Each structure stands twice: as structure tokens, then as C-alpha cells.
Amino acid sequence: MTSPAGPPPTGGGDGERQRLKLLAVTACPTGIAHTYMAAEKLAQAAESRGIEMKVETQGSIGAENVLDDNDVSHADGIIVAADKDVDLSRFAGKRVLTVGVAEGIRHPEQLIERVLSAPVHAEGGSPTAPATSGGKERSLGYKALMNGVSYMIPFVVVGGLLIAISLSLGGHTDPSGGLVIPKDSFWMDVNNIGVIGFTLMVPILSGYIAYAIGDRPALVPGMIGGWIANTGELYDSKAGAGFIGAIVTGFLAGYLVVWIKKVKVPKFAQPIMPIIVIPIVATTALGLFFIYVIGKPISWVFEHLTDWLSGMTGTSAILLGAILGLMIAFDMGGPVNKTAFLFGAGLIATGNQTVMGMCAAAIPVMPLGQGLATLIRKRLYTEQERETGFAALFMGCFGISEGAIPFAAARPAQVIPANMLGGAVAGAIAGVAGVEDAVPHGGPIVAVLGAVSGVPMFFVAVVIGSVVTALTTVALVDLGERKRRGEAGFGAGAAGLEPVPAGVPGGGGAAVVEQATVRGPAATATAASSATATATASSATAVADEAVPEQAEPSDPGDIPTEVLGGHLTGQTVKVSLEADDKEAAIREMAELLARTGKVADLDELVATALRREAQGTTGLGEETAIPHAKTDAVTEPVVGFARSAQGVEWGSPDGTKARLVFMIAVPEAAAGDEHLRILALLSRKLMDAGFRERLLAAPDESALLGVLREVG
């Protein structure tokens, strides 16, 4: 273990002060602009004090200027300004100060002073930088959940699609009951591979939730705990706890490991704690706790639900169908779902196929509804979620309800109620119509293969239930978005991991920004055609004694041939005077500016996507600048615009300044990788140059602005 660092050196034997050596790490989950802004601010503050500093940036483009072991060994302190997890284990024995990325932008001088008295990071302590202040625990919990969901999604998609393909191409109904694939056939092998993927899905969810909380020592207890949760036989239940059980075991494992790490142990035992002692103790404790404590109630619920349903077989078909639909949609593979499914499957042998018909209609509603929701309101979903939505639609057609689990795990408060409502509607319609299913399976595939009677009403039930789920999901998610935006305001947008589902708090840096006093109205002197502007970004002094007149635009902007950023920014997308006085109006005006190029296919969608990005975390960088950006197929090619605001637009910037220099970047989804990040990096770094900002503010017209903008590259 590295020896704990003592107080930073303050002087040598000859009375001369030794030069301090500090390190920093900056990171932002929603992009790279804030990452580089904080890095530049810290570097400038250190240089002005004669302090040597190296800054590692962890932006979306990857880690740059990475700190090596030699850097750490000679450092007097480390500042971690980040709104996402940063591994702190490499800084053991050093003074470490962890704050949000916004603090690195707003108060770099204070951070340099504070790090000199920061606590020494102990080996075996918290492995990652904590979430930003203001909702720390909630942020950590949600980030852990999203970490598990993101790792689980590939297993859901691969497993579900392989099962669906094997059923569609190799399956058939069997007279003895069931939808079967011939044993020892090629398609059975494909099906088995898919089943493995599905089997691993739940432990992966649990394991990576635990990993995000307790780091590597929590991975094993998290995964084994998830496997136990999903294996009902271990606690005398016919159904496992499913993804809800996995979420429970993931959090229990993570926090259990964090608690064990706090136990003081002899120095000789410290090296084996993270690789032997902690995993063994946590895994054993969690496994036994689930089997003997949590598992018993799950088994009890399963048994009593089955008895309750058995007593309802003589009730109204519409009521029974609604109840079965609610249960099928609740936990998608958990004890409630399995109770309804096995109840319906068990009655097939008695000649009662109507109960399974109700279940079969409800089973595909969740994945079909969630997939449909991603198509109805694309702006509410990340790119990864939209891709998962397409897979969910495919899985829904084959009766694989687990295709909706990623959505339910990410937004349980919105998705589960919507699923249950749609499932209840589908089950009730199938019940009242007397739909029958002769095999223990659901979804359109059973109708196509001839196992369903009353096929038209079966499809009516599935379609109506799916539409109800989709519309309810969209309404609830949109309501949550509006509520969150209203609470955050322009100055403190809620943030999240990108791609991150809507509603994730704690990222982006904006949520912890206190509203600083905004500078008074600042204007560049944009007098008519012959005046010369003299304002500078540093002073923000207004020089006009009367209202700033509207800047006349060129009669044909295309006449200005100058191109910037590889031709993405041209004379067509430059505007001297931005008319908008609030952020939403400014984004729309910037979108209209980009539309001049003919590369904007859907103006409203472009605006909506940019506003959604703002909700994840403000794109105001400070220093009177903002870079709103959008990745959307509402544009056909990458395009960049620039406009200047005389009075400034409130953008929720970390330093409290209004945005007077506004760049907007829009790229299609297919080009949203390196090109998008390259443009952001170039702009955010160049905008740190005070002289560059001053020249932009002083340029009198579009031609002069383009001349300055050519400096970007």
C-alpha cells in the first residue's frame, strides 16, 4: 500500500518554497464540453499560482492525457471534478478532493486551495468518485441501476432474438401440448444458445448494479445473488424473483461490500480483502439471506396467488382476464408473472384453454407496447433504447415478454403501470371474446402456428393492449420529463449518463450549480453598417447608449464562401444578432438558422432533440458561451451554426453568465460518433481562449465572424 501522504511541501531547507505538483481528473457523462472546460480552468488557475498540474480528461471521446503511476507517486494532491464514476483506487495514499465538474469550472482557485488539506484516500476506500452534491445517494443508486441495465440489454436482445428465430423457423405446435422445436435439430441448438443468454440476463443485471456501488469485490456476490434470485428451486418456489429480485440483490450486494470495506483489518490482511475475503463473505451472507429470508415470502406469494386464482375460475371472464393480464405484465418472469402463466398452462390439460388464451394475449403486450412507444416519441428515448425498442418489437411477436425488461428496469414508475394497464386490457378483451390457446406460450407466433382459436379477436386484444401500453408509457415518461424540467429550471437541468434514459438525476453538472448573480445586460456595439464593435468578453461592458439596432443580414448568405469545421459551418449558418431572449426560443432560432442549408429534414424534431439534451444537463459552458447540440435524423448531414446575442440568453451556465456566443451542432445518428465529438472538442477548447471570444464579440458582420471562426479549424 502506498504510504499516506503527509501535508504538501511548503518549503525547502534554504527557505525557498518547493513547487507543488497537483493532478486533476475531469469528466462529464453527457458530453465533453464541460470536461474540457473544467480541465482548462484548473490548468489556468494552477499556472497563475506557479503550480505544476496535469489534467486527465475523461470525455465521451475517451480518456486523454492519462495520469500514470509516476505522475501519481510525485503528486501532492489530486482534484477529481467529475459527474460520473472515476476510479480512485490508483490514488491510494494521496490527498484526493472529489467535486462535481461544475465546481471545476466555477471555483478552480478554491479547489486548488482545498486539495492541500483534503483527506488522504485510503486503499480499500470508496473506489469511485461520489456523485455531485445534492442528491448524492439517489444519484449513486440510479447510476448503479442504469449501469446494470446497460450491461443487461445485450443479453436480452441476443437471447430473445435467438429464441424468437429458432421458434419461427424450427418450432411447431405439438398435439400433446406446447410449442416445440425437434430435439437434436439445428434450431434446438440455436434455441439453447438463446436460453443461455436469457439465463445470464438476470445475474448480469444484479452483478453490474453491485459493481457500480462496490467496485470489483461486489461483482461476484452481485452475480451469484442474481442467479439465486432467478432460481426459485433454491428457496422452494416454482418461480424465481426475476429482474425485480435481481435489482434487490444487486443493491444488497453493493452496499454490503461497501460496509465490509469499512471494517478495520490488520495490515497483513489488507491485500487479500478485495480478492478473497470480501467476495466470499459478501456472497455467502447475501446468498443465505436470500434463500432463508427473502425467498420464503416469494414462495408464499406464489403459492397463495395460485390458490387465489384457482378460486376465481367461475368468475366473470372479463374480470379474470384483466387480473391475469395485470399479473403477466407486472414482473415479466417473476413470481407474479409465473403464477398467472403456470395457472393458465396447467388448465390446458383439463380442457380449459380460455385461461391460457387470456394469458397468451397479454404476454406480448409489454415488449410490443414499449417498442411502439420508442417509435411514437423518439425524442424521449436514447439511441440505445430505440435500438432495444426494435428488438422488443421482434421479441413481442414471438411471445417473449422479457424484451420489455430493460425499459421496466430503467423507468419502473412509468413503465410497469403502463405495462399492467395494457396487459389488463388485452387479457380482458381475450376473456370476453372467449379466445383459446392450446399451448403454453403466447404472442402472435402461437396464432400463426394455429394454436389459437378466435384468431381475429386475439389480434384485436394484442393490438389494443399494445397501443394502450405505448400511449400510457409515452404520457407518463413525458409527464416525468416535464415535471423534472420544471423543477430544474433553465439553471439546473437534470442530468444523466449518455446514452442515459430520461429522468436520471445527478449528472451533467448543472444540477448542483447555484445561481450566481448574472452580469448586467452586455452588448456588443453592433451599429449599422459602418460602426466597429469594441466590447470584450472579459469585461462584458455595454457600449451602446441606445437600443442595438437589428443587424441587417446579407441578401444571399450563400455568397459568403468561407467554410469552417470541414465545411459544416458556412456563411449560411452564421448570424450576427440573435433575437431570442430565452433558451428555448434561442434553440429554435438556431435550428432555423441551420435549416437555411437544406440539411434539416424536420425542424420541430431537431428542436425537440436539442431541448431534450438540455434537460440532461445544460450546454452552457460559462464565459458567455453555449454549445447546444443534437444527434438526430432530423438532419441529413452534419451542420454547425453560430449566432451572437447582444443582451445574452440565460443558459444555466456553471459560472452564471448569460450566453452571448452560441454555437449549435446537429448531426444525423449515423454520423454521431467521432465527427460529433471532434467538433465539440475543437469548439470547447478554442472557446477557452479569451482573445478568440473577444474577436468574435468584436466582429462587425458575417464575413468578419467567419474570418475569426476559421481559427477553430
Side-chain angles (χ1 to χ4, degrees):
M1 172 178 173
T2 307
S3 300
T10 56
D14 57 359
E16 291 185 2
R17 179 183 176 90
Q18 294 182 7
R19 191 179 187 192
L20 289 173
K21 294 182 179 179
L22 299 180
L23 305 178
V25 179
T26 61
C28 171
T30 57
I32 60 174
H34 292 85
T35 299
Y36 286 109
M37 190 78 172
E40 294 288 348
K41 284 284 188 178
L42 287 166
Q44 290 173 1
E47 184 178 2
S48 67
R49 285 162 174 72
I51 297 173
E52 182 180 342
M53 176 178 278
K54 179 178 179 180
V55 185
E56 174 183 310
T57 55
Q58 294 186 7
S60 298
I61 203 169
E64 298 177 278
N65 205 30
V66 177
L67 307 177
D68 56 33
D69 292 341
N70 185 59
D71 295 325
V72 175
S73 65
H74 291 89
D76 296 306
I78 297 99
I79 299 170
V80 178
D83 286 338
K84 71 175 186 177
D85 290 340
V86 174
D87 185 9
L88 301 184
S89 59
R90 52 182 168 157
F91 303 141
K94 295 294 180 179
R95 297 189 184 278
V96 178
L97 175 64
T98 57
V99 296
V101 70
E103 287 298 297
I105 298 173
R106 295 181 62 206
H107 305 301
E109 300 86 358
Q110 294 180 17
L111 298 184
I112 290 174
E113 295 298 328
R114 288 168 57 191
V115 74
L116 303 182
S117 57
V120 174
H121 181 68
E123 186 170 338
S126 175
T128 58
T132 55
S133 58
K136 172 182 175 181
E137 293 302 319
R138 183 185 176 198
S139 176
L140 176 60
Y142 208 101
K143 289 199 297 182
L145 178 61
M146 300 321 302
N147 191 61
V149 170
S150 65
Y151 279 100
M152 175 188 69
I153 285 176
F155 290 86
V156 176
V157 173
V158 171
L161 293 183
L162 287 178
I163 291 173
I165 291 171
S166 64
L167 284 173
S168 64
L169 299 180
H172 63 272
T173 56
D174 191 277
S176 61
L179 189 64
V180 300
I181 301 173
K183 293 182 179 181
D184 301 325
S185 69
F186 171 79
W187 294 114
M188 177 56 75
D189 292 333
V190 174
N191 183 270
N192 289 336
I193 295 172
V195 169
I196 292 172
F198 255 23
T199 304
L200 290 173
M201 169 186 68
V202 172
I204 290 294
L205 172 63
S206 177
Y208 280 97
I209 289 174
Y211 176 79
I213 297 171
D215 202 43
R216 281 173 291 184
L219 189 59
V220 170
M223 286 195 173
I224 293 179
W227 188 283
I228 292 172
N230 202 39
T231 309
E233 294 88 345
L234 295 174
Y235 41 91
D236 299 325
S237 174
K238 293 182 180 179
F243 82 96
I244 294 178
I247 292 174
V248 172
T249 56
F251 280 106
L252 286 176
Y255 284 111
L256 178 60
V257 167
V258 169
W259 178 78
I260 295 174
K261 286 181 178 180
K262 295 179 181 179
V263 177
K264 299 294 183 181
V265 297
K267 190 173 182 179
F268 73 86
Q270 290 177 356
I272 64 172
M273 287 294 290
I275 59 175
I276 299 177
V277 178
I278 294 177
I280 289 177
V281 172
T283 301
T284 304
L286 176 62
L288 294 175
F289 178 75
F290 200 97
I291 291 173
Y292 289 107
V293 179
I294 299 178
K296 295 300 181 182
I298 293 174
S299 178
W300 183 89
V301 167
F302 184 92
E303 293 173 1
H304 283 74
L305 279 176
T306 302
D307 293 340
W308 178 63
L309 286 175
S310 298
M312 294 189 64
T313 52
T315 62
S316 167
I318 189 170
L319 176 61
L320 181 59
I323 292 174
L324 289 171
L326 288 170
M327 295 174 66
I328 288 288
F330 175 66
D331 52 2
M332 291 161 286
V336 177
N337 170 282
K338 279 293 191 294
T339 297
F341 177 80
L342 294 178
F343 176 69
L347 290 178
I348 294 176
T350 68
N352 184 349
Q353 300 178 358
T354 57
V355 174
M356 192 62 218
M358 303 172 194
C359 296
I363 285 172
V365 163
M366 297 80 75
L368 290 177
Q370 295 305 320
L372 184 60
T374 64
L375 298 177
I376 293 174
R377 295 293 292 277
K378 291 183 178 181
R379 71 176 184 83
L380 294 175
Y381 296 90
T382 65
E383 180 182 0
Q384 184 184 41
E385 285 180 312
R386 292 196 294 269
E387 292 174 353
T388 306
F390 280 111
L393 287 170
F394 192 73
M395 283 185 265
C397 292
F398 294 89
I400 303 172
S401 61
E402 288 85 350
I405 286 180
F407 300 96
R411 297 184 178 95
Q414 291 84 24
V415 171
I416 292 178
N419 283 347
M420 293 175 68
L421 181 59
V425 169
I429 293 174
V432 76
V435 172
E436 295 183 352
D437 180 13
V439 299
H441 199 83
I445 182 67
V446 294
V448 172
L449 294 176
V452 170
S453 64
V455 172
M457 288 306 299
F458 173 80
F459 278 106
V460 168
V462 170
V463 170
I464 294 178
S466 301
V467 171
V468 168
T469 289
L471 295 179
T472 305
T473 300
V474 166
L476 292 176
V477 172
D478 195 35
L479 181 63
E481 283 283 282
R482 292 177 185 275
K483 181 180 178 181
R484 180 169 53 81
R485 290 177 188 174
E487 291 173 350
F490 285 141
L497 304 168
E498 184 177 90
V500 174
V504 182
V512 298
V513 177
E514 298 175 1
Q515 283 299 324
T517 301
V518 180
R519 303 181 191 181
T524 55
T526 54
S529 58
S530 60
T532 303
T534 57
T536 64
S538 57
S539 64
T541 304
V543 296
D545 293 327
E546 54 184 325
V548 180
E550 179 71 20
Q551 177 68 32
E553 298 179 4
S555 57
D556 183 3
D559 290 341
I560 304 173
T562 310
E563 295 183 347
V564 182
L565 291 170
H568 301 323
L569 190 155
T570 69
Q572 290 180 301
T573 57
V574 170
K575 193 172 186 179
V576 170
S577 181
L578 191 66
E579 299 172 1
D581 56 5
D582 64 71
K583 181 161 66 171
E584 185 169 348
I587 287 176
R588 177 164 289 276
E589 189 173 342
M590 292 298 298
E592 292 171 350
L593 181 65
L594 300 186
R596 292 179 178 181
T597 63
K599 298 177 182 178
V600 177
D602 188 335
L603 181 65
D604 290 338
E605 180 61 23
L606 173 58
V607 173
T609 304
L611 290 175
R612 172 172 167 75
R613 171 59 185 84
E614 291 296 327
Q616 294 176 342
T618 179
T619 56
L621 303 185
E623 300 288 357
E624 302 179 314
T625 64
I627 311 180
H629 46 278
K631 295 183 289 184
T632 172
D633 289 330
V635 295
T636 57
E637 295 180 40
V639 59
V640 182
F642 169 74
R644 191 172 63 191
S645 172
Q647 299 300 320
V649 178
E650 180 57 56
W651 217 280
S653 299
D655 62 359
T657 58
K658 292 185 177 182
R660 300 176 62 200
L661 304 174
V662 181
F663 290 85
M664 185 168 185
I665 304 169
V667 296
E669 294 283 2
D674 293 342
E675 185 66 7
H676 176 236
L677 299 176
R678 183 185 73 85
I679 295 171
L680 265 175
L682 286 172
L683 283 177
S684 58
R685 281 171 165 159
K686 189 62 180 176
L687 285 168
M688 290 307 302
D689 182 352
F692 176 71
R693 298 194 306 271
E694 291 174 6
R695 290 189 291 278
L696 284 178
L697 288 167
D701 54 34
E702 279 89 347
S703 296
L705 280 172
L706 281 165
V708 178
L709 290 168
R710 277 202 301 269
E711 299 176 24
V712 177

